[in-house]
């Protein structure tokens, strides 16, 4: 993998200054040493290319383990194992260590995505998105705004990576897309939240989950965003759809249905 990435770097380095080539050579050789000592640490480093370069902490990765690849489950199985991998990367100056978190220098970060990873790696991209999504805190969680603020630049990096490759959102988990939408809404990025919710809704509808409760929740949240942006016609349409859907799936007296009734009433009141 690393020999191939270096060959690609050499082929595309005509526009680089000599200083840049020296740095890239040094980083590439350092990572080859890391891979020889701890292959999982080298793979984790590649994953970081799809996340923000600042404020990387253990739980950010650990909560995304679930059904992740074996190498990722191994490196996140305990904090000492994770810290050992990060210490190896730090010993070669590939990352920076600070109390409670780690970071990558912006130049190293760009090198990881542009030259080390090279072609868009959908598996790593999906894993990065899953890590962020699994850390999104709901409003009833203590100090939820602090957690979500920490996740903001990671979500933006994921969006940038996706735009860079013009990738297909169908290849990622729609629940992760939904959670990123909630994150954007929670921190006041309404346009980004609307786009994510629309992607989640389209993805769920495409696989036949039109009346699934998670789809109806997406519809309801999208309606809320429309209302917050004074798009009243769109909000009414979505609230009515959520109401009819919850009534059919959950029943007229279910709390989800009553919540949809309340949302629609508030819309009409305003």
């Amino acid at each position: 993998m690393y020999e191939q990435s270096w060959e690609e770097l050499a082929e595309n380095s005509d526009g680089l200054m000599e200083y840049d080539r020296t740095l890239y050579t040094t980083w590439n050789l350092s990572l080859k040493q890391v891979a020889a000592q701890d292959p999982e640490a080298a793979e984790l480093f590649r994953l970081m290319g799809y996340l923000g370069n600042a404020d990387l902490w253990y739980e950010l990765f650990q909560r995304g383990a679930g059904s992740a690849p074996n190498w990722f489950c191994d490196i996140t199985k305990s904090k000492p194992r994770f810290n050992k991998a990060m210490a190896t990367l730090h010993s070669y100056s590939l990352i920076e260590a600070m109390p409670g978190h780690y970071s990558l220098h912006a130049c190293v970060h760009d090198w990881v995505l542009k030259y080390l990873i090279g072609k868009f790696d959908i598996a790593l991209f999906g894993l990065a998105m899953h890590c962020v999504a699994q850390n999104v805190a709901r409003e009833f969680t203590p100090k939820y705004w602090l957690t979500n603020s920490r996740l903001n630049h990671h979500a933006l990096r994921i969006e940038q990576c996706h735009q860079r490759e013009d990738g297909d959102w169908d290849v990622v988990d729609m629940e992760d897309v939904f959670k990123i939408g909630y994150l954007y809404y929670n921190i006041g990025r309404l346009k980004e939240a609307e786009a994510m919710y629309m992607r989640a809704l389209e993805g769920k509808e495409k696989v036949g989950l039109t009346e699934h409760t998670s789809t109806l929740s997406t519809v309801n949240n999208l309606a809320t965003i429309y209302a917050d942006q004074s798009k009243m016609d769109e909000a009414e349409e979505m609230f009515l759809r959520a109401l009819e859907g919850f009534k059919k799936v959950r029943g007229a007296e279910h709390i989800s249905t009553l919540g949809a009734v309340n949302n629609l009433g508030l819309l009409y009141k305003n």
Side-chain angles (χ1 to χ4, degrees), residues 111-176:
W111 167 72
V112 174
L113 191 63
K114 187 174 182 180
Y115 291 107
L116 180 60
I117 296 177
K119 295 180 180 179
F120 189 66
D121 189 322
I122 189 56
L124 287 180
F125 174 80
L127 181 55
M129 189 166 194
H130 188 62
C131 287
V132 175
Q134 290 302 305
N135 278 272
V136 175
R138 302 300 297 268
E139 293 183 353
F140 52 77
T141 306
K143 297 184 178 180
Y144 69 90
W145 64 91
L146 293 178
T147 298
N148 290 346
S149 294
R150 295 181 76 182
L151 295 173
N152 181 32
H153 76 290
H154 294 301
L156 291 176
R157 175 68 167 188
I158 289 170
E159 180 79 20
Q160 291 166 1
C161 291
H162 188 271
Q163 291 177 352
R164 174 176 175 262
E165 298 297 331
D166 193 24
D168 188 349
W169 287 104
D170 290 347
V171 297
V172 299
D173 189 331
M174 287 301 111
E175 281 303 305
D176 289 342

Side-chain angles (χ1 to χ4, degrees), residues 2 23-37 42 45 88-89 91-94 111:
Y2 305 102
L23 279 177
Y24 291 178
T25 302
T26 301
W27 294 335
N28 197 76
L29 292 174
S30 295
L31 191 59
K32 289 172 70 174
Q33 292 295 318
V34 170
Q37 297 177 35
F45 185 69
T88 301
L89 292 168
S91 68
Y92 287 93
S93 301
L94 292 172
W111 167 72

Side-chain angles (χ1 to χ4, degrees), residues 84-253:
K84 178 184 177 183
M86 299 300 270
T88 301
L89 292 168
H90 182 256
S91 68
Y92 287 93
S93 301
L94 292 172
I95 65 170
E96 300 171 6
M98 285 150 283
H101 68 280
Y102 302 89
S103 67
L104 282 75
H105 189 279
C107 294
V108 177
H109 194 224
D110 287 341
W111 167 72
V112 174
L113 191 63
K114 187 174 182 180
Y115 291 107
L116 180 60
I117 296 177
K119 295 180 180 179
F120 189 66
D121 189 322
I122 189 56
L124 287 180
F125 174 80
L127 181 55
M129 189 166 194
H130 188 62
C131 287
V132 175
Q134 290 302 305
N135 278 272
V136 175
R138 302 300 297 268
E139 293 183 353
F140 52 77
T141 306
K143 297 184 178 180
Y144 69 90
W145 64 91
L146 293 178
T147 298
N148 290 346
S149 294
R150 295 181 76 182
L151 295 173
N152 181 32
H153 76 290
H154 294 301
L156 291 176
R157 175 68 167 188
I158 289 170
E159 180 79 20
Q160 291 166 1
C161 291
H162 188 271
Q163 291 177 352
R164 174 176 175 262
E165 298 297 331
D166 193 24
D168 188 349
W169 287 104
D170 290 347
V171 297
V172 299
D173 189 331
M174 287 301 111
E175 281 303 305
D176 289 342
V177 177
F178 173 84
K179 289 178 181 178
I180 298 296
Y182 177 84
L183 169 66
Y184 282 142
Y185 177 73
N186 188 256
I187 59 180
R189 303 182 68 94
L190 297 185
K191 290 185 178 179
E192 291 87 348
E194 179 183 341
M196 279 295 181
Y197 279 142
M198 282 299 300
R199 289 164 183 158
L201 179 59
E202 291 169 358
K204 292 175 180 181
E205 289 177 334
K206 190 173 292 186
V207 295
L209 298 177
T210 303
E211 295 184 344
H212 193 276
T213 53
S214 67
T215 306
L216 297 175
S217 294
T218 305
V219 170
N220 186 74
N221 287 12
L222 189 55
T224 300
I225 290 176
Y226 285 145
D228 287 348
Q229 297 179 93
S230 298
K231 299 178 180 179
M232 298 308 178
D233 291 340
E234 293 91 335
E236 180 184 19
E237 178 184 352
M238 287 295 173
F239 276 138
L240 285 171
R241 176 177 169 181
L243 174 59
E244 292 305 314
F246 280 128
K247 187 185 298 183
K248 181 177 180 180
V249 176
R250 295 288 199 180
E253 301 300 322

